[in-house]
Amino acid sequence: MRRWDFVAAYLQGELEPGEVVYCHPPPGYATIGADGRPRLCRVQRPIYGMAQAGRRWQRTLFPWLEAQ
């Protein structure tokens, strides 16, 4: 392998089974729902910048590297 795209690689990790992570909506999206309550977004994959993202990606990458 010659190149690595580490920013995109963070999206290849998986959250732990049962782990639920929420974040605020990105700029430009409504932050208040029609019912007047604040909106949150459920994260389905680790996102670059999350505290868990590096560890989740590491758990995906290392077994693959060891198998090579």
Side-chain angles (χ1 to χ4, degrees):
M1 219 180 267
R2 291 179 177 258
R3 293 186 184 198
W4 294 68
D5 184 358
F6 287 105
V7 174
Y10 277 84
L11 298 174
Q12 302 305 315
E14 299 284 337
L15 293 175
E16 294 286 322
E19 182 178 17
V20 180
V21 178
Y22 291 95
C23 68
H24 294 282
Y29 284 88
T31 57
I32 303 294
D35 58 358
R37 295 183 355 200
R39 285 188 171 185
L40 294 176
C41 298
R42 184 173 177 181
V43 176
Q44 295 181 355
R45 289 197 163 281
I47 299 174
Y48 183 77
M50 281 178 45
Q52 301 97 325
R55 184 171 177 88
R56 300 301 180 251
W57 181 63
Q58 177 186 8
R59 287 185 179 177
T60 303
L61 176 67
F62 280 12
W64 181 84
L65 288 173
E66 289 175 346
Q68 298 303 315

